[in-house]
Amino acid sequence: LKSNLKAAVERRTTRVTCSLCLLLQVFQDLGTEVLSGAAKGYNICLFAYGQTGSGKTYTMLGTPASVGLTPRICEGLFVRQEDCAPLPSSCRIKVSFLEIYNERVRDLLKQSDHKKSYTLRVREHPEMGPYVQGLSQHVVTNYKQVIQLLEEGIANRITAATHVHEASSRSHAIFTIYYTQAILENNLPSEIASKINLVDLAGSERADPSYCKDRITEGANINKSLVTLGIVISTLAQNSQVFSCQSFNSTASDGGDSGVPSSPSGTSSGGGPSRRQLYIPYRDSVLTWLLKDSLGGNSRTIMVATVSPAHTSYSETMSTLRYASNAKNIINKPRVNEDANVKLIRELREEIGRLKAVLRSFELRNFRSLNEGKDENLKELVLQNELKCPPPLPLPPQIDQLTKDWTRKWNEWKALVEHYRVDINRRRAGLVIDSSLPHLMALEDDVLSTGVVLYHLKNLVSVKLHLRTKKEGTTKIGRIDSDQEQDIVLQGQWIERDHCTITSACGVVVLRPARGARCTVNGREVTASCRLTQGAVITLGKAQKFRFNHPAEAAVLRQRRQVGEAVGGSGSLEWLDLDGDVTASRLGLSPLLWKER
C-alpha cells in the first residue's frame, strides 16, 4: 500500500511539474512577444481556440498551482515598469473584464442584479472602433490588484457541466489591459498607448438532445459565434492573399525587366477577371464585432490552437487546425499608437535631415566643379547656402519643463491612489470613487460648489505602519487660527478653534466634541463621546454637513442583509461607555479585516 501510494504521488508530482514547465514555455514563446509589442505601443490580441475540454481556460488563466498566460503577462507589465523606473517615463494600467453569453455582453467586475446585468451595448467609434458602452475600467497599481480583479471576474463567469468537461465555460471572456506610457522622445513629451485583448473562447461542441433547453440555446449561440469567427478568419485570409497577389503583379509590371506584360484593366495576370475584396461579416456576431481591429486591423494577433489527444476528437482537432491554418494567412497592419503631434514633428525632422543631406551633396558637386575657379566665387556660394539653411534652433526650455511637470503629476496621482486606497471607475456617464478607509464626504449647501470633497480619517493601524506619529488615529477638526495644527480646517458660523476630534481604532470611529462646540449626529445634538455608524449625517457648527462612510462596516451590513438578518438603519446611534476598552469584537467587526485592507 505504501509503495502504491508513493508511486501515485510521484506520478501526480510529475504531471504538475510538466504542466508548470509547459505553461512557462508557452509564456516564453508567446507572452514575451505580447510584452515586447505592448512596450513599443502596438495593440495586441491573444486568443485561445479549441473544442471543449482541450485546455483553453487552463492556458489563458491557469490554476492557483500553475499560473496561465494572462496573470504572467500582467506580472510582466509591472516587472517591466519597475525595471524602467530610472528612465524618464511613467506608466498607467487599467483593466476591464467582460463575457459574451448568448450574444449579450456582461461586465464581470461590476456588482449588479443578475437579471439586469446583460444590458451593455456594443457601439462603434469612428476613430477608436467598436467598444462596450458602460463597461467599467479599473486602475491598478500593482500585480496583487490585478489578481484580485481576475479572481472576481472568474467567479462571476458562467460555467456548466457537459459530457466532455465538468466545468465548461459557457461564455466568451475578454480581459482587456489598457497600457499607457508617457515617455520623452527626442526631447519631446510623448504618450503611447497599447490595448491588450486576452480572449478565452467558449468551446465548440456537438448539440445533444438530452440537454435542457438552456444548454441547447447556449450551445447554439456559442457555435454561431464560432462559425462567424471562422468565416471572418477565412475571408480575411482570402483578402490578404488577393492583396499579396495584386502587390506582386503591380511590382512586376512597374519593374519592366521580367518581360511579363502588365495585365489589362479588369483581368489578372492569368487571364481571368480580377478578384475584389470580399465582404467581412464582423457584425454577424458580438464576438467578431468587438474583435474587429484585433482580427483584421491595427493589432498584432496571436492564436493559440488547443487540441485533444483523444481519437474520438479527430474531427474537432482537424477543424481547429484548419482554423489555425487560415489564421496564418491573415496580414494585419499594426501601427504604434502615439501622439499625432509628436509623430508629425518626428516626420518633419526626418524630412529636414533628408533635405540637408541632399543640399550637402549638391554643395559637394559644386565644390568639385568650382575647385579650379576663383576662391571668391566659392566663398560667396557657400555663404549663400548658409543663409538659405540657417542652423537648427535649440529646443525651448518650456518643453523640458512641461515634461517634468507631467511626470510629477503622474507620480503624485499614483502616490495618492496608493496611500488613500482609492479606486476610480467609470460607470456609463458617471464616475465612481471607492475608498476602503473611513472617510467624511462633504454635503455642500452652496449651489455654486461643483466639487466632491472626501476627508480620510486617520486610523490606528495605518498610522503605525506609515505615518509614525504620536497622535495615533486621531483627526482634529477646527479653524485655521487654532493654536494646534488641524487636520480638517473649516470656516463658518459656530465653528470653534478646536471644534472636535474623531478617533478611529480597530474599526471603531468615535466623535468627541470640544467643550461648547456644536456637533449634531443624525439630527441629535452630541455633547459627549459618540460612536459613528455607517451613513451617519454629521453637522458641525451651523451649516457644515458631512456624511460618514465606513466601508468595512458597510461590507458586514451587506453580508447580513444577504443572509436575511435584520439590520438597523443609518439613523441609529450607539452610545458607548468609553471609559473601558472598545474592541472590534463587540461590534461584530474583525480586526484582521483592517489589517488586510
Side-chain angles (χ1 to χ4, degrees), residues 464-483:
K464 283 185 177 180
L465 292 180
H466 301 287
L467 302 180
R468 302 284 186 185
T469 62
K470 297 180 180 180
K471 303 174 183 179
E472 299 173 342
T474 301
T475 302
K476 296 181 180 180
I477 302 177
R479 296 203 310 252
I480 193 172
D481 57 348
S482 175
D483 297 334

Side-chain angles (χ1 to χ4, degrees), residues 109 284 316:
L109 300 180
D284 290 356
E316 288 82 359

Side-chain angles (χ1 to χ4, degrees), residues 37-224:
K40 297 177 182 178
Y42 291 101
N43 292 337
I44 310 293
C45 179
L46 174 63
F47 69 96
Y49 174 81
Q51 70 174 109
T52 301
S54 59
K56 301 182 300 300
T57 304
Y58 178 76
T59 302
M60 296 301 298
L61 300 176
T63 61
S66 54
V67 183
L69 282 176
T70 300
R72 291 179 186 271
I73 290 173
C74 296
E75 183 181 10
L77 289 177
F78 287 103
V79 171
R80 182 182 294 272
Q81 182 176 351
E82 294 176 357
D83 294 341
C84 299
L87 299 179
S89 64
S90 180
C91 302
R92 181 180 62 180
I93 300 176
K94 296 190 296 184
V95 298
S96 63
F97 204 1
L98 63 87
E99 73 169 355
I100 303 174
Y101 176 72
N102 286 342
E103 292 298 304
R104 292 186 177 183
V105 181
R106 175 192 177 198
D107 192 348
L108 294 177
L109 300 180
K110 185 191 302 182
Q111 297 294 336
S112 60
D113 188 6
H114 184 73
K115 296 181 181 179
K116 299 181 181 180
S117 57
Y118 295 95
T119 57
L120 300 181
R121 295 187 177 183
V122 181
R123 306 293 188 186
E124 186 161 4
H125 193 273
E127 296 179 0
M128 301 171 57
Y131 69 99
V132 178
Q133 184 179 10
L135 182 65
S136 62
Q137 297 180 1
H138 300 259
V139 178
V140 292
T141 57
N142 53 58
Y143 175 64
K144 184 178 179 180
Q145 294 180 0
V146 179
I147 294 301
Q148 291 176 353
L149 294 175
L150 265 177
E151 292 176 351
E152 179 182 351
I154 294 172
N156 295 330
R157 191 179 178 187
I158 295 178
T159 59
T162 61
H163 292 311
V164 181
H165 193 259
E166 60 182 3
S168 176
S169 301
R170 310 306 298 168
S171 63
H172 309 297
I174 303 178
F175 186 79
T176 306
I177 305 172
Y178 303 91
Y179 184 57
T180 307
Q181 303 175 77
I183 62 175
L184 186 64
E185 182 180 2
N186 295 328
N187 294 327
L188 289 176
S190 176
E191 184 177 274
I192 57 176
S194 175
K195 181 180 178 182
I196 307 174
N197 286 324
L198 304 175
V199 187
D200 179 21
L201 299 177
S204 61
E205 61 180 47
R206 298 178 181 177
D208 192 341
S210 63
Y211 285 156
C212 62
K213 182 179 179 180
D214 294 339
R215 290 291 168 265
I216 294 177
T217 304
E218 289 175 358
N221 286 311
I222 291 173
N223 291 334
K224 172 189 173 182

Side-chain angles (χ1 to χ4, degrees), residues 15 66 73 87 103 140 211 284 294 329 350 360 368 373 401 436 444 452 463 465 491 520 524-525 527:
R15 288 197 297 269
S66 54
I73 290 173
L87 299 179
E103 292 298 304
V140 292
Y211 285 156
D284 290 356
S294 299
N329 298 324
E350 293 176 355
R360 292 191 187 96
R368 291 176 179 176
Q401 184 63 31
S436 60
E444 298 285 352
V452 178
V463 170
L465 292 180
Q491 297 291 338
T520 304
R524 297 175 56 182
E525 186 173 355
T527 58

